[in-house]
């Protein structure tokens, strides 16, 4: 085992040394002169297609662009969530109906002034500027969340670096009536911890009567430009919201026919962009385009772009995503700080945008990003029905296996048909990843099902025809295909993980690279069962070596930062590999051994973190960034992550369809016990060295991954299919067969 560890460490160092250089930084050395942030609420790349927006199109064609993932604290991101997250640089939540309550300090609200309201609340109103009345609520709300968000961190950092802040925005009318209809939420992006933005304009003077606009009001472009000019100086960050887009989306959300209103809002926005760009010096200034909220009730990817000195046309990425063409909402704040030439504060979990050259023509890049958004939404619609099919088919397999091995045993074809169905169910899992290589979102859900099921049946047919030397060889082949597809994909860039049913979605935004939690569950279960069959099939030391090679391979692929980058999976697999190796060596596994392997798993993950930290900052995964935060902030940073994952874990315990898989497998096992000890004893005899590892993987996979019950649930799906096949196709029980005997020596098979 020590020799295998040395070989694994050497492999890690060799691969680490072969990694490529980091992408170009988004910010020129020393920062830029001024930063214009253009907010285009709810805008996606498909929204811009074919509208003929000459000014906006010209800007985006020369910029580095990306899909913006808006996933914050919750799946849906409101304007308040989006702007508060920008201001914190960390996932944060807005304050619902009061988000938009921002006013110029000299505005009057009924019988009192804004300054008087601030004073009554115990604050000190500024002499000039804008005040958000929602900030105290924002601080209270986010202090109770496990994200350590510092409201106003961006503003404080800019102030310390000597940069001024201004916001020009007014989306009034896009919320409820009365005072709550004030929607100046954009202020939250640049407000400090007191809710103050020193410059800008958000009052009603920014608006004009416009019968073609949503709710009959629109931005007065002359007034907007005048307000920007008043704050556009050296070392200034000015955020301008195209607020007409927010009002148009609010009207569209009511169910009204709003196509003409939306089109008009984009044309007015394009005119505004053209006038603002006249103020920009492209050799010294940066223009950052973001859409920090999605359409009402419709999570999707929105637009992000950066035009700055030294940033060539191409794609954006960040160390958060490690994938070209994708950045996140939490990355916007750090990007502004980076452009200003300041140091990103430790409290910000996001990372600055990076420019990546290439991607073809501007039209090609934009089309690719629009397709990614469509694929993500298509994938998210498929997750529930595909998961339900796997769970229900697993239950059906259990019933058929019971019948085929009982009263229907004499009926020809029932047993082979059920075992074939088990192989097909196993084949459906890798088929869902292979579907990621096809543009199935263009063909529709029906076509997706037709192709995926054809793949699954085709794999089952090939496995049952090509692997026929032993009755269990088709099962081993099915597990090998599952493990092989996942391993090859992760090692070659995890292209099949993105936007596939059991991979991950950029809309959900938990992961953009490496191995996803559900994929880990399949890889762990498939790898452990495959290792057991290899041990059984080959026998002796050869079988032990092959089995350990599979398990160590799963650990390496899953855990190393530049492949799987899966912290919870690595912690799990170290224990699984260690315990299984001890059992194979004939050693007893007690509490002390489990504790020792748990400590070893932490040491291994710490070594992987050190390896990740040695890489350039732009290439580090969440593991390396977490290690850096622990070094800066102590164990509080680790406690935050653990608390957040525990909360996410518990939240899906009763809501996930995968929870139903556990009683399915337990029911199957109970039937095996009821039927008699012989069959269960045979399973234990054949796979006894690997059953403890399988149980540990399920328990630790549940505890250490924020997908919670879904991890052991999908593991149970793999185990259930394998058990069903085993019950129907394994050789008859062999009395006290030695564990070292190769499987090929076993005679006979079941029909």
């Amino acid at each position: 085992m020590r020799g295998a560890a040395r070989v694994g460490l050497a492999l890690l160092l060799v691969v680490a040394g072969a990694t490529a250089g980091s992408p170009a930084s988004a910010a020129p050395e020393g920062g830029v002169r001024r930063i214009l942030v253009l907010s285009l609420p709810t805008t996606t790349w498909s929204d811009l297609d074919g509208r003929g927006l000459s000014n906006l199109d010209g800007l985006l064609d020369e910029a580095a662009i990306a899909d913006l993932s808006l996933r914050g604290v919750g799946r849906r991101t409101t304007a308040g969530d989006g702007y508060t997250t920008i201001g914190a640089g960390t996932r944060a939540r807005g304050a619902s109906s009061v988000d938009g309550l921002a006013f110029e300090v000299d505005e009057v609200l009924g019988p009192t002034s804004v300054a008087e309201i601030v004073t009554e609340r115990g604050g000190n109103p500024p002499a000039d500027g804008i005040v958000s009345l929602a900030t105290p609520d924002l601080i209270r709300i986010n202090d109770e969340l496990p994200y350590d968000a510092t409201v106003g961190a961006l503003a404080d950092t800019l102030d310390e670096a000597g940069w001024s802040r201004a916001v020009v925005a007014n989306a009034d009318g896009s919320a409820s009536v009365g005072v709550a209809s004030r929607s100046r939420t954009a202020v939250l992006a640049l407000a400090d911890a007191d809710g103050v933005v020193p410059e800008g304009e958000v009052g009603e003077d920014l608006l004009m009567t416009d019968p073609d606009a949503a709710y009959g009001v629109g931005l007065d472009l002359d007034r907007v430009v005048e307000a920007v000019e008043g704050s556009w100086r050296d070392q200034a960050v000015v955020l301008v919201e195209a607020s007409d887009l927010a009002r148009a989306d609010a009207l569209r959300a009511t169910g009204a026919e709003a196509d003409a209103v939306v089109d008009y809002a984009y044309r007015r926005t394009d005119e505004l962009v053209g006038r603002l760009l006249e103020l920009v010096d492209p050799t010294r200034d940066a223009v950052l385009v973001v859409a920090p909220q999605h359409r009402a009730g419709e999570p999707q990817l929105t637009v992000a772009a950066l035009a700055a000195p030294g940033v060539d046309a191409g794609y954006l990425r960040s160390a958060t995503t490690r994938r070209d063409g994708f950045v996140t909402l939490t990355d916007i704040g750090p990007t502004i700080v980076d452009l200003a030439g300041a140091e990103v504060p430790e409290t910000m979990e996001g990372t600055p945008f990076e420019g990546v050259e290439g991607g073809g023509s501007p039209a090609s890049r934009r089309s690719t990003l629009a397709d990614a958004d469509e694929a993500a939404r298509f994938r998210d619609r498929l997750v529930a029905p595909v998961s339900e099919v796997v769970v229900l088919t697993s239950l059906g397999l259990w019933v058929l296996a019971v019948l085929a091995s009982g009263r229907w045993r004499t009926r020809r074809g029932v047993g082979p048909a059920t075992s074939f169905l088990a192989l097909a169910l196993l084949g459906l899992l890798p088929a869902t990843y292979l579907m990621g290589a096809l543009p199935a979102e263009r063909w529709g859900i029906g076509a997706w099902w037709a192709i995926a099921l054809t793949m699954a049946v085709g794999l089952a047919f090939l496995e049952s025809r090509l692997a026929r030397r032993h009755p269990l060889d088709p099962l081993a082949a099915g597990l090998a295909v599952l493990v092989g597809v996942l391993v090859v994909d992760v090692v070659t860039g995890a292209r099949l993980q993105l936007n596939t049913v059991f991979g991950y979605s950029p809309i959900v935004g938990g992961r953009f690279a490496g191995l996803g939690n559900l994929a880990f569950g399949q890889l762990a279960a498939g790898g452990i069962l495959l290792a057991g069959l290899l041990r059984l099939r080959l026998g002796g030391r050869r079988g032990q070596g092959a089995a350990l090679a599979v398990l160590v391979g799963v650990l390496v692929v899953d855990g190393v930062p530049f492949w799987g980058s899966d912290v919870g999976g690595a912690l799990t697999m170290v224990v699984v590999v260690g315990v299984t190796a001890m059992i194979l060596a004939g050693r007893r596994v007690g509490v002390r051994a489990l504790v020792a392997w748990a400590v070893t798993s932490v040491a291994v993950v710490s070594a992987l973190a050190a390896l990740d930290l040695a890489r350039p900052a732009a290439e580090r995964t969440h593991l390396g960034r977490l290690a850096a935060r622990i070094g800066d902030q102590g164990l509080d940073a680790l406690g935050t992550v653990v608390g957040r994952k525990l909360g996410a874990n518990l939240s899906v315990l009763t809501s996930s369809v995968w929870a139903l898989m556990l009683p399915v497998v337990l029911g199957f096992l109970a039937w095996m016990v009821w039927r008699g000890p012989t069959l269960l004893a045979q399973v234990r005899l054949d796979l006894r060295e690997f059953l403890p590892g399988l149980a540990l993987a399920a328990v630790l996979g549940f505890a250490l991954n924020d997908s919670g019950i879904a991890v052991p649930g999908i593991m149970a799906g793999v185990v259930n299919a394998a058990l069903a096949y085993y019950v129907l196709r394994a050789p008859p029980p062999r009395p006290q067969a030695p564990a070292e005997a190769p499987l090929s020596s076993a005679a006979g098979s079941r029909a």
Side-chain angles (χ1 to χ4, degrees):
M1 187 64 185
R2 291 178 181 176
R6 292 193 187 101
V7 172
L9 179 58
L11 177 62
L12 293 181
L13 295 176
V14 169
V15 178
T19 54
S22 62
S25 171
E29 186 175 352
V32 297
R33 179 188 178 195
R34 298 172 295 198
I35 303 170
L36 176 63
V37 182
L38 291 175
S39 175
L40 309 180
T42 77
T43 299
T44 68
W45 290 106
S46 59
D47 287 333
L48 301 178
D49 186 36
R51 291 191 185 274
L53 307 175
S54 57
N55 297 309
L56 192 51
D57 289 343
L59 170 64
L60 298 174
D61 287 351
E62 299 298 322
I65 62 176
D67 275 320
L68 179 62
S69 173
L70 299 179
R71 177 61 184 266
V73 174
R75 181 174 174 82
R76 286 178 165 78
T77 300
T78 65
D81 299 335
Y83 287 118
T84 304
T85 296
I86 291 175
T90 299
R91 280 175 283 182
R93 177 163 283 164
S96 187
S97 61
V98 301
D99 285 331
L101 298 185
F103 304 91
E104 295 169 21
V105 72
D106 57 357
E107 280 192 76
V108 176
L109 297 179
T112 186
S113 68
V114 173
E116 290 172 339
I117 294 175
V118 174
T119 302
E120 289 174 0
R121 289 184 170 191
N124 295 314
D128 200 2
I130 304 166
V131 177
S132 168
L133 301 182
T135 298
D137 289 334
L138 293 176
I139 294 174
R140 175 185 54 78
I141 290 170
N142 286 284
D143 281 348
E144 296 173 355
L145 296 174
Y147 295 94
D148 287 348
T150 300
V151 174
L154 174 57
D156 293 339
T157 304
L158 293 173
D159 288 348
E160 291 175 5
W163 281 66
S164 64
R165 298 172 281 119
V167 172
V168 180
N170 186 313
D172 288 0
S174 61
S176 305
V177 298
V179 175
S181 70
R182 308 296 173 88
S183 188
R184 291 90 179 267
T185 319
V187 168
L188 301 178
L190 292 180
D192 60 21
D194 294 321
V196 175
V197 177
E199 300 180 41
E201 191 168 341
V202 296
E204 295 179 356
D205 289 342
L206 277 182
L207 301 179
M208 59 181 287
T209 301
D210 188 342
D212 295 322
Y215 302 108
V217 296
L219 288 176
D220 183 335
L221 302 190
D222 291 335
R223 189 61 183 257
V224 171
V225 173
E226 181 181 345
V228 172
E229 288 177 328
S231 301
W232 192 239
R233 67 177 72 91
D234 287 355
Q235 290 193 303
V237 176
V238 180
L239 186 151
V240 182
E241 181 188 69
S243 304
D244 290 344
L245 296 176
R247 273 183 288 271
D249 181 68
L251 181 63
R252 176 169 48 193
T254 65
E257 291 293 333
D259 289 347
V261 170
V262 171
D263 187 63
Y264 180 73
Y266 274 109
R267 285 189 280 115
R268 291 280 290 170
T269 296
D270 188 59
E271 182 181 349
L272 173 61
V273 169
R275 297 182 62 176
L276 292 176
L277 290 179
E278 293 177 359
L279 306 177
V280 173
D281 180 353
T283 65
R284 303 180 65 185
D285 301 332
V287 180
L288 180 63
V289 181
V290 295
Q293 69 184 98
H294 52 67
R295 293 179 187 173
E298 187 177 352
Q300 58 190 144
L301 302 173
T302 58
V303 301
L306 177 63
V311 178
D312 295 321
Y315 286 123
L316 289 172
R317 62 177 286 162
S318 71
T320 306
T321 66
R322 296 186 294 130
R323 193 179 286 270
D324 294 355
F326 294 93
V327 293
T328 73
L329 186 63
T330 61
D331 297 330
I332 297 173
T335 299
I336 295 172
V337 172
D338 188 52
L339 288 169
E343 184 176 351
V344 177
E346 299 168 1
T347 60
M348 291 188 174
E349 69 172 343
T351 57
F353 293 174
E354 305 156 4
V356 182
E357 295 184 27
S361 67
S364 174
R365 292 194 297 271
R366 289 169 60 165
S367 177
T368 297
L369 297 179
D371 289 345
D373 176 41
E374 183 182 3
R377 286 183 285 149
F378 180 79
R379 175 264 181 195
D380 291 352
R381 291 195 298 271
L382 275 169
V383 170
V386 176
S387 300
E388 290 164 2
V389 164
V390 172
V391 171
L392 292 175
T393 304
S394 297
L395 178 59
L397 268 178
W398 177 73
V399 174
L400 289 173
V402 170
L403 293 175
S405 61
R407 69 176 65 179
W408 286 5
R409 177 189 292 272
T410 58
R411 298 192 182 185
R412 294 185 60 185
V414 176
T418 303
S419 59
F420 186 87
L421 179 61
L423 289 180
L425 180 59
L426 276 180
L428 179 61
L429 299 178
T432 63
Y433 295 102
L434 295 173
M435 288 299 296
L438 303 174
E441 66 276 4
R442 301 178 187 174
W443 305 332
I445 289 179
W448 187 95
W449 276 110
I451 298 171
L453 292 177
T454 299
M455 283 187 186
V457 171
L459 287 172
F461 178 81
L462 292 174
E463 291 155 4
S464 60
R465 290 295 180 270
L466 299 180
R468 304 181 66 177
R469 296 184 62 184
H470 186 275
L472 292 182
D473 281 355
L475 175 59
L479 294 169
V481 169
L482 173 60
V483 171
V485 166
L486 292 172
V487 167
V488 171
D489 178 47
V490 170
V491 170
T492 57
R495 294 174 179 83
L496 300 181
Q497 289 287 310
L498 184 71
N499 285 336
T500 50
V501 171
F502 297 132
Y504 37 75
S505 160
I507 291 177
V508 175
R511 178 181 281 268
F512 293 83
L515 193 74
N517 290 340
L518 293 183
F520 162 72
Q522 296 170 60
L523 182 61
I528 294 169
L529 290 172
L530 178 60
L533 290 179
L534 287 175
R535 166 76 171 92
L536 190 63
R537 187 74 170 86
L538 300 176
R541 292 186 178 275
R542 186 183 174 195
Q544 288 185 4
L548 284 177
V550 170
L551 295 179
V552 172
V554 169
L555 167 61
V556 171
V557 170
D558 178 61
V560 295
F562 35 84
W563 285 342
S565 183
D566 181 14
V567 178
L571 289 169
T572 299
M573 288 307 300
V574 169
V575 177
V576 169
V577 172
V579 168
T580 304
M582 288 183 65
I583 295 174
L584 288 172
R587 298 178 60 183
R588 181 175 177 275
V589 180
V591 175
R592 284 188 177 182
L594 289 175
V595 172
W597 280 111
V599 172
T600 302
S601 71
V602 174
V604 169
V605 170
S606 298
L608 293 175
L611 179 63
D612 201 13
L613 277 173
R615 305 165 73 203
E619 293 183 6
R620 292 175 190 163
T621 69
H622 59 287
L623 177 59
R625 295 197 303 275
L626 174 60
R629 290 186 65 190
I630 292 174
D632 293 332
Q633 304 175 24
L635 292 179
D636 287 346
L638 179 61
T640 297
V641 173
V642 171
R644 188 165 67 216
K645 287 185 175 292
L646 179 61
N649 194 322
L650 295 176
S651 69
V652 300
L653 185 59
T654 58
S655 61
S656 174
V657 67
W658 292 109
L660 299 176
M661 279 303 309
L662 300 184
V664 169
V665 174
L666 292 175
F668 203 166
L669 293 174
W671 168 77
M672 293 173 70
V673 172
W674 171 81
R675 181 183 170 190
T678 304
L679 182 58
L680 188 59
Q682 185 65 35
V683 174
R684 293 181 60 188
L685 179 65
D686 288 344
L687 300 174
R688 66 184 183 277
E689 297 101 335
F690 301 89
L691 296 179
L694 197 61
L696 282 170
V699 172
L700 294 177
F702 165 75
L704 299 175
N705 291 284
D706 50 14
S707 293
I709 196 66
V711 174
I714 202 163
M715 288 181 65
V718 176
V719 171
N720 190 75
L723 276 178
Y725 188 93
Y726 182 94
V727 165
L728 296 169
R729 304 296 290 172
R734 294 170 284 115
Q736 301 301 317
E740 294 77 17
L743 186 60
S744 57
S745 65
S749 64
R750 290 184 182 175

